[in-house]
Amino acid sequence: EIDTATTFIAADNEFERVPEWTLSGAVSREFPISGDRGMVIPRIDWSYTSDFFNDSFNTPVIATADYHLVNASLTWRSPSEKYTLVLGGRNLGDEHYLLTGDIGDAFQSAEGILDRGRQFYITGRINFN
């Protein structure tokens, strides 16, 4: 129940930061390297998030538009599984979208945090078990 007189939020407003749709899928496969040199694992994943509002007033200027993300990685794992090395990329399509936003009513200001865009990374792991 919403008291629209005190909150100024319309009863039919959408929930904040809740997209109507989120979808995702991923594909990966392990390939042994000949000569017992470990395993290579390519992976690609995709996700979709529909548009959503970042505040309960449903302010359009800080709404997040729908976006698609594609990430990929290539993993090498040693035969003993003691060592792992991963090369990858996030947001390969370089989507620019608003992660979150806020309206400052007192000063009539709007602010938002944007996604970083395309990113690449290298990670390594040593298993001490």
Side-chain angles (χ1 to χ4, degrees):
E1 216 175 285
I2 296 175
D3 179 4
T4 57
T6 357
T7 63
F8 305 110
I9 299 171
D12 61 343
N13 277 10
E14 294 182 28
F15 288 116
E16 64 180 86
R17 297 179 178 90
V18 179
E20 185 175 355
W21 291 97
T22 57
L23 305 167
S24 63
V27 176
S28 69
R29 179 157 180 178
E30 296 184 354
F31 295 97
I33 301 172
S34 64
D36 196 30
R37 289 182 281 184
M39 190 78 65
V40 171
I41 308 157
R43 175 187 168 93
I44 188 164
D45 62 77
W46 163 86
S47 65
Y48 168 75
T49 302
S50 64
D51 59 341
F52 58 90
F53 291 103
N54 284 297
D55 69 338
S56 53
F57 299 109
N58 292 177
T59 309
V61 73
I62 58 166
T64 298
D66 65 327
Y67 58 91
H68 298 262
L69 297 177
V70 175
N71 306 313
S73 65
L74 184 63
T75 301
W76 171 79
R77 191 171 56 218
S78 69
S80 65
E81 298 187 8
K82 180 173 181 165
Y83 304 102
T84 303
L85 182 65
V86 182
L87 305 169
R90 294 185 184 104
N91 189 2
L92 294 176
D94 202 24
E95 288 280 334
H96 296 281
Y97 59 95
L98 191 65
L99 291 171
T100 188
D102 190 33
I103 289 289
D105 290 332
F107 298 105
Q108 297 298 303
S109 62
E111 61 183 46
I113 299 173
L114 296 172
D115 180 73
R116 299 169 98 180
R118 185 180 300 122
Q119 302 170 59
F120 297 98
Y121 62 91
I122 300 173
T123 60
R125 182 172 55 226
I126 300 174
N127 187 353
F128 292 101
N129 291 339

